[in-house]
Amino acid sequence: MPELPEVETIKRTLAGKITGAKIKDVEILTAKFIRNVPVADFLERVRDKRIVDINRRGKRLILDLGKDFLVIHLMMAGRLLYHAAGDPRAKHTHLVFWLDNGAELRYVDLRHFGGLFLHGKEDDTPWTSLGPEPLEDEFSMDYFQRVLGSRRGKIKSCLLDQKLVAGLGNIYADECLFQAGIHPAREASSLGGTEVERLHRAIREVLSDAIAHRGTTFATYVDGEGNKGEYASMLKVYRRVGQPCANCRTPISKVRLAGRTAHFCGMCQKAGEGSAAHRAD
Ligand SMILES: [Zn+2]
């Protein structure tokens, strides 16, 4: 599933190509991917509109159409691809935006979980409920310390909570916890000041590094030009169960946490106090 580094990479690959282009028309092959407005309304508000800007908030892509924001949730296996008009269409192509520069922007989704949302700029935009962007100043140490200190729950679950910090998913939450040397099942409020500091730094370093390597591809993720990311080979714990830890050679373990699999090194990331492993119950 695309997380912050993948969506950021898609944004960057598309920005120079689609910013300023006008959407001449939209070909809707599978209407259900337009999630929050009737199809006729969607067409009316998107046709003949210029793409003023493309942004990312958390894991969402946001096209600024002047009066409206077109918000794209890629979810499990959505793709937003820039193509020359004559390029063969991939299976699972659901929407095609015809641009006035002769190219097409295609929404492709192999799993049907993603979709497009249209929000008037006057409306309450849904991403106002998202937590701070982890690579921006708003994600400060003070903020992180304060919210983790007041949280009940495991640190891994906190990192996945988009209201606490936007953009992390299962891959990068595991990688950040490994880099910070913190067990995923630790209670968030049990983390000491230096641990929170290490985790804060790890989040910024891991995400920046993943963006520099254009994200992680296992099966479906590609950027806006159809290229795979290169970060998969740099992952230290995610999907590396049984392989030796890069630091200490202990085989990487996994554990189920709140319905998700967490990957970690049992030696570098001690369960410690407040974790499930040390609870009396
Ligand atoms: Zn280790």
Side-chain angles (χ1 to χ4, degrees):
M1 166 166 187
E3 301 179 25
L4 186 154
E6 290 76 39
V7 181
E8 178 66 22
T9 303
I10 295 170
K11 185 200 90 178
R12 292 182 185 189
T13 50
L14 291 177
K17 296 181 153 60
I18 66 168
T19 306
K22 191 184 264 187
I23 299 168
K24 285 200 308 187
D25 209 348
V26 192
E27 198 180 331
I28 299 170
L29 301 156
T30 318
K32 70 164 191 172
F33 285 92
I34 298 167
R35 299 288 186 183
N36 72 329
V37 292
V39 169
D41 189 20
F42 183 87
L43 286 173
E44 162 95 32
R45 287 160 70 181
V46 167
R47 255 187 206 139
D48 281 325
K49 301 299 180 298
R50 207 168 281 287
I51 301 169
V52 179
D53 204 358
I54 175 168
N55 286 301
R56 179 194 56 75
R57 185 74 175 89
K59 304 175 196 172
R60 302 166 162 94
L61 280 168
I62 303 167
L63 301 193
D64 182 343
L65 302 182
K67 284 195 178 130
D68 291 299
F69 289 117
L70 176 58
V71 181
I72 299 147
H73 292 237
L74 299 169
M75 299 300 286
M76 296 296 287
R79 292 172 167 177
L80 194 64
L81 293 162
Y82 185 85
H83 274 286
D87 287 354
R89 284 190 187 169
K91 245 203 240 180
H92 310 290
T93 299
H94 302 297
L95 284 108
V96 179
F97 296 87
W98 298 355
L99 305 180
D100 69 348
N101 60 10
E104 293 179 355
L105 192 61
R106 301 178 185 171
Y107 179 75
V108 178
D109 198 328
L110 289 72
R111 298 280 301 275
H112 290 222
F113 291 114
L116 285 76
F117 298 74
L118 204 54
H119 295 282
K121 284 190 177 173
E122 264 95 274
D123 306 346
D124 241 2
T125 42
W127 58 86
T128 50
S129 64
L130 286 182
E133 284 292 322
L135 297 176
E136 302 289 334
D137 290 343
E138 55 183 0
F139 181 62
S140 66
M141 251 304 286
D142 277 358
Y143 166 81
F144 199 37
Q145 193 120 43
R146 195 173 65 244
V147 292
L148 291 185
S150 64
R151 281 289 163 133
R152 281 162 186 259
K154 316 267 181 250
I155 184 60
K156 169 78 185 278
S157 306
C158 289
L159 294 184
L160 295 177
D161 180 353
Q162 302 299 300
K163 293 192 167 88
L164 195 153
V165 55
L168 288 171
N170 217 26
I171 300 175
Y172 296 104
D174 283 358
E175 292 298 313
C176 293
L177 286 166
F178 173 78
Q179 178 148 329
I182 295 168
H183 193 286
R186 288 278 302 280
E187 289 294 325
S189 58
S190 79
L191 299 186
T194 54
E195 288 178 312
V196 176
E197 219 164 289
R198 283 209 309 271
L199 185 54
H200 185 262
R201 190 166 57 236
I203 289 170
R204 293 200 156 163
E205 285 175 1
V206 167
L207 292 177
S208 303
D209 212 24
I211 292 170
H213 289 86
R214 309 171 61 81
T216 300
T217 299
F218 289 116
T220 59
Y221 161 72
V222 291
D223 67 19
E225 296 169 303
N227 299 311
K228 293 180 176 183
E230 290 154 6
Y231 196 70
S233 63
M234 324 250 317
L235 297 172
K236 306 275 195 343
V237 288
Y238 188 80
R239 290 203 188 172
R240 293 199 174 271
V241 176
Q243 296 179 35
C245 166
N247 293 341
C248 73
R249 315 307 291 167
T250 302
I252 300 300
S253 311
K254 66 174 176 181
V255 65
R256 291 294 281 179
L257 269 183
R260 310 290 294 271
T261 303
H263 308 76
F264 64 100
C265 170
M267 194 62 79
C268 296
Q269 297 165 269
K270 292 284 189 205
E273 255 181 72
S275 74
H278 284 240
R279 274 231 205 98
D281 60 358

